[in-house]
Amino acid sequence: MARPQHLFTRFASKTSEWAGRPATFVLAVVLVAVWAGTGPVFDFSETWQLVINTGTTIITFLMVFVLQNAQTRDARAVQAKLNEIILTSHAENRFIGIEHLDEEDLQHLDRLVAKAAKGVRNERSTTASNEKNGSSDEPSANGASAKPKKAKRKTAPLARAPSQ
């Protein structure tokens, strides 16, 4: 027998999939239109208004939990895929687990990565302009290469992610 957690996971996945379909949106619009159309029949009473308010509040309250469950699982899956890409590439392994850093540390890291990216763009544009101006990769008269050495990527040490 499936554990209750697995049952909820399947329920949340199916419900969020169903809720995101265009047909579900059309159904919701039709329900609101029918409710609005019955306003004159019920003389736009407080009970008539309470029906839509209560119904939408209950549905919204329950959907928050269902959608959050699905979104959390999707985010974890994407994070696992990104970690695998980092591990199997030449990227910095120190970036694994940064999703556990606090907001201030993430903002600092964003600034560092943006600065490094700007440096890489500047380096590439300098290299491209040198190639246009006739610089070559051939050794010069003294045997040294005219091609600049690729700068080593610099990253700041990261704070340790908390253990789970």
Side-chain angles (χ1 to χ4, degrees):
M1 184 171 155
R3 292 191 336 224
Q5 183 178 7
H6 294 299
L7 291 174
F8 181 74
T9 298
R10 286 197 315 223
F11 171 76
S13 294
K14 293 294 183 185
T15 303
S16 64
E17 184 180 316
W18 176 80
R21 291 185 180 170
T24 307
F25 176 77
V26 171
L27 177 64
V29 170
V30 167
L31 285 173
V32 170
V34 167
W35 169 82
T38 61
V41 174
F42 294 101
D43 202 24
F44 300 101
S45 68
E46 288 183 16
T47 304
W48 173 80
Q49 292 177 28
L50 190 61
V51 167
I52 196 73
N53 289 338
T54 304
T56 56
T57 300
I58 291 170
I59 291 170
T60 301
F61 180 75
L62 296 175
M63 287 301 290
V64 164
F65 297 103
V66 170
L67 295 175
Q68 184 62 48
N69 179 274
Q71 183 180 9
T72 300
R73 280 184 292 102
D74 288 347
R76 285 184 181 153
V78 168
Q79 193 60 52
K81 291 174 186 179
L82 289 173
N83 288 346
E84 178 65 15
I85 290 170
I86 290 170
L87 287 171
T88 59
S89 70
H90 297 291
E92 295 283 340
N93 289 349
R94 293 182 295 171
F95 282 88
I96 293 176
I98 64 171
E99 68 275 10
H100 302 292
L101 296 176
D102 65 20
E103 187 63 28
E104 186 178 307
D105 289 338
L106 284 174
Q107 288 174 352
H108 177 69
L109 183 60
D110 283 342
R111 288 190 298 273
L112 291 174
V113 171
K115 185 177 178 181
K118 184 177 180 183
V120 168
R121 280 194 301 272
N122 290 342
E123 183 179 308
R124 287 181 183 165
S125 65
T126 302
T127 303
S129 66
N130 286 344
E131 289 174 358
K132 282 184 179 179
N133 294 333
S135 297
S136 69
D137 293 343
E138 298 297 320
S140 61
N142 64 5
S145 174
K147 184 176 180 181
K149 289 186 175 183
K150 187 173 181 179
K152 186 175 179 182
R153 193 165 100 194
K154 298 175 184 173
T155 59
L158 300 174
R160 290 190 72 122
S163 300
Q164 289 190 354

